[in-house]
Amino acid sequence: MPAVWSPDTLLHQPGGEVWVGVTTPGTEIPARVEVIRNALVAAGHELVEAGRQDDTVLHPIHHPRLIAHLRDVHTEWLAAGFAEDPGQDRVVPYFFPTAAMLGPLPSQRAAAVHARAGQFCYDTMTLVGPGTYAAARAAVDCALSAVDLIGNGAPVVYALCRPPGHHVTRAAYGGSCYLNNAALAAQRLRQDGAAKVAVVDLDAHHGNGTAAIFYERADVFYGSVHVDPGAGWFPHVVGFADETGIGEGSGTTHNEPLSPGSDDAVWCEAVARLAESVAAFAAEAVVVSLGVDAAADDPESPLLVSADGYRTAGRMLGQLGLPSVVVQEGGYHLPSLGGLVCAYLDGHASGGDS
Ligand code: SP5
Ligand code: ZN
């Protein structure tokens, strides 16, 4: 199947993650793209370079201030001298003006770039460097070029998006994500004529950004299987089973939080329930947020899914028989990453044949 990628996705070099106050090497690194790309070629997939999409594609999903912030913040950070004093050349927020802090007070745009960082980023793990925005935009180009190939008649297309995107809301980024590739793909499928679109999120973490973007919408379903945030896992405060949508979006969200240690049997049953919901919703196209960090070897999650589990999930979602855009999200164990992605794609393609 076509696999869309862009060399510009390598430009994001996070330079570590600040985790509980300590700078760690980080796991969302450019080598992820290299190992996935090599595995795709070895498995016989056709690599296609993404076409450049106009910046206006971002506007239905992201706030103009978020876009401008991501584009400009690293330049402003360097201009403020933080690379020399105190010696941090990546944008790392230190101040988080939460809803609880503000209460009823109106809030202004922070004049200081180090304070403004926390008005758009909700954690300390998601650093911005010189190539971050270019890479995030290239990831969007991958996702939307994949939608274009669907429009030209391809039944399933894979987008090698990096950095990932599902933790990004309309106006805030975090969780190693900067722009929401999957949400943008779903929106484009709607604009291209699919009356209803489903996003199915297989990443080990709940895709709080995608969930928030579509929570009040009747035309886009969001379903996710992930490690239970109630057991202490990112994104901690959302992703619970009782979140089912509100207003016109009532009933169009389906979360399947699983206990740490859940294996193929439990995980695949949850995927089957998500597939049933997609069918009941009568989606005309599907976006799969393919995080492979639910795998047993992955350093970022306690789920114990195997490559066969991912292949089975692919088969179940392929059997929906819908045009499908498969967007890369997380997955951090370099030795197994490519095989997990290819196992999923193999399952999805074979499900579509039956
Ligand atoms: C897209 C995606 O998978 N984002 C993952 C965001 C969750 N990361 C939160 C945990 C970060 C802590 N990493 C330290 C690992 C120590 N074992
Ligand atoms: Zn994840």
Side-chain angles (χ1 to χ4, degrees):
M1 77 178 65
V4 187
W5 83 294
S6 165
D8 287 356
T9 62
L10 299 167
L11 295 173
H12 170 50
Q13 297 182 341
E17 298 178 352
V18 179
W19 165 242
V20 297
V22 177
T23 300
T24 64
T27 49
E28 204 295 284
I29 54 176
R32 298 179 60 244
V33 171
E34 306 284 12
V35 297
I36 294 172
R37 199 185 49 171
N38 290 340
L40 291 167
V41 170
H45 296 289
E46 174 204 357
L47 282 185
V48 180
E49 198 163 323
R52 185 69 184 170
Q53 306 275 331
D54 192 88
D55 268 349
T56 58
V57 300
L58 304 173
H59 298 162
I61 295 296
H62 290 304
H63 199 294
R65 280 198 295 269
L66 173 65
I67 299 164
H69 177 80
L70 288 168
R71 188 189 60 211
D72 299 336
V73 67
H74 187 257
T75 303
E76 290 184 57
W77 185 267
L78 292 185
F82 292 119
E84 294 79 33
D85 180 11
Q88 175 55 268
D89 66 359
R90 296 298 194 272
V91 178
V92 189
Y94 89 106
F95 170 76
F96 299 94
T98 60
M101 172 205 164
L102 293 167
L105 299 178
S107 163
Q108 301 282 336
R109 174 181 188 272
V113 64
H114 53 295
R116 205 181 318 126
Q119 291 185 297
F120 293 97
C121 183
Y122 56 77
D123 63 42
T124 63
M125 309 179 302
T126 311
L127 277 50
V128 177
T132 298
Y133 184 67
R137 275 296 281 109
V140 171
D141 290 341
C142 291
L144 296 185
S145 295
V147 176
D148 289 344
L149 291 171
I150 293 284
N152 294 339
V156 194
V157 183
Y158 171 74
L160 209 185
C161 297
R162 177 201 178 254
H166 72 152
H167 294 305
V168 187
T169 66
R170 177 166 152 72
Y173 69 97
S176 306
C177 302
Y178 303 86
L179 293 168
N180 196 320
N181 310 307
L184 288 157
Q187 179 69 24
R188 172 74 78 88
L189 285 163
R190 282 284 295 108
Q191 290 169 210
D192 285 357
K196 291 178 163 191
V197 175
V199 181
V200 178
D201 192 329
L202 303 180
D203 189 277
H205 306 98
H206 175 251
N208 60 290
T210 315
I213 286 166
F214 297 123
Y215 203 57
E216 300 164 281
R217 280 176 57 166
D219 59 331
V220 181
F221 168 91
Y222 177 76
S224 177
V225 54
H226 47 266
V227 62
D228 186 1
W233 291 85
F234 191 92
H236 300 289
V237 296
V238 291
F240 295 87
D242 62 359
E243 296 161 22
T244 57
I246 49 171
E248 290 179 8
S250 290
T252 66
T253 297
H254 178 168
N255 286 327
E256 290 279 352
L258 301 183
S259 301
S262 294
D263 62 8
D264 280 358
V266 172
W267 189 80
C268 287
E269 280 173 24
V271 176
R273 289 190 291 273
L274 294 177
E276 279 173 35
S277 286
V278 172
F281 177 72
E284 296 179 4
V286 62
V287 176
V288 179
S289 267
L290 180 62
V292 293
D293 46 3
D297 290 335
D298 197 277
E300 297 290 350
S301 110
L303 299 177
L304 301 175
V305 178
S306 72
D308 278 343
Y310 272 99
R311 189 185 316 275
T312 301
R315 200 175 298 123
M316 289 190 283
L317 297 179
Q319 279 169 355
L320 291 167
L322 298 171
S324 304
V325 177
V326 180
V327 171
Q328 187 65 43
E329 300 283 0
Y332 307 100
H333 183 246
L334 295 177
S336 62
L337 193 45
L340 290 161
V341 170
C342 289
Y344 176 86
L345 296 179
D346 184 54
H348 197 120
S350 72
D353 291 339
S354 59

